[in-house]
Amino acid sequence: MTAPAQPPLVRALGRWTMVGLVINSVIGSGIFGLPDDLVRLVGHDAPLAYLLATAGIAVFMGVFAELGSQFREAGGPYLFAREGCGRFWGIQMGWFTWLVRLTAAAANANLFVLYLGEFWPAATSPGPRLTLLALLLGGLVLANVRGVGHGARLSNFLTTAKLVPIALLIVAGLLWSGTPVTQPAVTATPASWLSAVLVLLFAFGGFEAALMPLAESKDPRRDIPFALFTGLLVISACLWLTQIVAMRTVPSLGESTRPLADAARVLVGPLGAGFIALGAMISTSGYLSAQLIGVPRQTYAMAERGDFPAAFAGVHARYRTPWISILIWGALVLALAAYGNFIWNAIISAGARLITYGIACVALLRLRKLRPQADAFRLPAGRWLAFAGLGLCAVLVGQMSVTHAVVISLIATIGTLNWLLVRRNRPAPPSA
């Protein structure tokens, strides 16, 4: 007996919603949690580290812009790797991307609670912390199960809401007439510079999640390149300028636990610190909202093609959303957030992300051979940039810790076992 066909997903995501998803998928915890880490690594040269990271991430964004413009189905990086490099690498990409997004989301959920501690210090104690994480993620999951339109509107609102306090902080910091603070000198080594760029991959990463719901995008061929490059301009400006403001206003920035809140406290007093803390909470919840639109569409796509348990492909008959994938994603993020803190999840996310970017570069090279006439955006000097991206990944992989190596080896093993279990099964075609 043939199983009943799943209801199709709805194409409801327009060009500016895709821009908002890119911004919302990147600007989350990193902008609020990393300025102090950069000062500890490279001292007063931290703004230069942002510029170097922007150049590096622009290469990867260009690669994903070309890849994303070729597809109209859900899946994002998993789909690109599967079509370009084969089923084995598609499954590997799927597992690594899932790990990156889960740990990055858990890091953001933890930072939400950390900044809530500005108003309610008890929020960071074990009992209230777990309750708050459950309420935060549960509310976002419910909104996204009820329809991609609900999720998109919530994401758009939170994108605007998060940019307002950031913009006000930047303007106030640049116009501040006080005496600029000089950060302590740090003797930066090549290793510390590479570590800084690796850390910034966490701050700049996440844009690939916006490419996962392409089955619900109105015009991926036109909108994906526009969304990625427009988003990069906004994101890089916000990250670079907030780093400068924090460095010129907060004494001994490397010792701060809430660097932007401390900067706002210097600029306008306790009220400003509370305003930025609220902005951080909005930013991290907005990030999580964007992830809920994107990430479950990957496990949905993997299940739809027979590479993941079939339950993940379940589509709600009324709301037409991949509701099982959404529920499981929310539960796993809650578990990781409860288990680890912000920096633990950030480190795991940054390390695994290098693997996904490297596979994407290879997929671009392969798809250019397999689909030379594809109706898609073509990245200028795309082959050379893909090779440059592979070189950058190789250099940064050398900076990974033993923890990175263990986790990456574990995920690669899980992905290989997944492939061994499904490789004899005939791949299922995606639904129309």
Side-chain angles (χ1 to χ4, degrees):
M1 181 176 178
T2 304
Q6 294 281 4
L9 302 179
V10 181
R11 291 196 178 275
L13 306 178
R15 167 176 284 201
W16 287 103
T17 295
M18 296 305 295
V19 172
L21 278 177
V22 171
I23 295 171
N24 221 355
S25 295
V26 175
I27 296 182
S29 59
I31 194 170
F32 294 94
L34 292 180
D36 53 311
D37 297 296
L38 267 294
V39 168
R40 285 194 292 272
L41 285 169
V42 295
H44 55 73
D45 289 326
L48 178 58
Y50 278 93
L51 296 180
L52 293 174
T54 297
I57 209 70
V59 171
F60 297 124
M61 277 196 173
V63 168
F64 277 93
E66 178 168 326
L67 291 171
S69 70
Q70 297 187 46
F71 297 92
R72 293 179 59 83
E73 301 88 19
Y78 152 75
L79 180 61
F80 309 155
R82 195 181 195 276
E83 294 296 311
C85 304
R87 195 175 191 181
F88 174 82
W89 288 108
I91 292 173
Q92 291 287 351
M93 175 72 101
W95 274 98
F96 274 105
T97 305
W98 205 31
L99 171 70
V100 169
R101 301 271 55 84
L102 283 168
T103 50
N108 274 265
N110 273 308
L111 203 69
F112 176 93
V113 176
L114 180 64
Y115 268 91
L116 181 59
E118 180 76 21
F119 306 103
W120 180 34
T124 57
S125 57
R129 173 175 172 268
L130 184 59
T131 301
L132 288 166
L133 288 170
L135 290 173
L136 170 66
L137 290 165
L140 293 172
V141 163
L142 179 61
N144 279 274
V145 165
R146 289 179 57 83
V148 69
H150 288 283
R153 285 189 291 273
L154 179 59
S155 178
N156 289 340
F157 168 76
L158 291 172
T159 300
T160 303
K162 77 165 60 173
L163 290 177
V164 169
I166 293 171
L168 291 175
L169 176 69
I170 290 170
V171 171
L174 295 179
L175 296 179
W176 183 52
S177 59
T179 303
V181 171
T182 300
Q183 298 299 327
V186 172
T187 303
T189 64
S192 63
W193 274 102
L194 289 172
S195 295
V197 175
L198 181 60
V199 166
L200 284 173
L201 277 180
F202 176 81
F204 276 99
F207 62 86
E208 62 274 16
L211 309 186
M212 294 176 184
L214 292 184
E216 291 148 294
S217 173
K218 293 179 179 179
D219 188 355
R221 164 69 177 82
R222 181 193 67 173
D223 294 345
I224 293 306
F226 177 85
L228 285 171
F229 293 126
T230 302
L232 177 60
L233 290 175
V234 175
I235 293 159
S236 58
C238 288
L239 291 171
W240 185 65
L241 290 171
T242 51
Q243 181 73 38
I244 290 175
V245 167
M247 288 177 61
R248 72 193 302 262
T249 56
V250 181
S252 300
L253 180 61
E255 299 175 8
S256 172
T257 57
R258 302 185 187 105
L260 295 196
D262 289 340
R265 185 178 288 107
V266 171
L267 292 168
V268 293
L271 183 62
F275 182 63
I276 289 299
L278 179 61
M281 292 164 59
I282 294 172
S283 181
T284 50
S285 59
Y287 178 95
L288 291 168
S289 177
Q291 298 303 297
L292 270 163
I293 293 176
V295 182
R297 272 67 180 180
Q298 175 181 286
T299 47
Y300 161 83
M302 293 178 73
E304 192 183 35
R305 288 168 173 78
D307 291 342
F308 223 54
F312 283 82
V315 176
H316 198 285
R318 177 180 177 185
Y319 301 125
R320 294 169 67 180
T321 54
W323 67 283
I324 295 177
S325 281
I326 292 172
L327 289 176
I328 292 175
W329 186 88
L332 290 174
V333 172
L334 176 60
L336 280 172
Y339 174 77
N341 59 15
F342 167 74
I343 195 62
W344 184 89
N345 282 292
I347 288 171
I348 299 302
S349 176
R353 186 170 282 139
L354 289 173
I355 307 301
T356 67
Y357 290 169
I359 297 174
C361 290
V362 174
L364 182 144
L365 295 170
R366 291 280 299 146
L367 284 171
R368 282 204 167 191
K369 290 184 177 180
L370 296 172
R371 300 179 174 184
Q373 305 301 322
D375 179 21
F377 164 76
R378 287 300 187 195
L379 180 66
R383 287 188 176 88
W384 292 108
L385 288 174
F387 282 120
L390 285 170
L392 179 58
C393 286
V395 171
L396 292 175
V397 162
Q399 300 304 306
M400 293 195 301
S401 66
V402 174
T403 301
H404 285 125
V406 169
V407 171
I408 287 171
S409 298
L410 177 61
I411 296 303
T413 301
I414 293 172
T416 300
L417 292 174
N418 187 162
W419 174 75
L420 289 171
L421 288 172
V422 304
R423 68 190 178 100
R424 296 187 184 278
N425 300 336
R426 185 175 181 180
S431 59

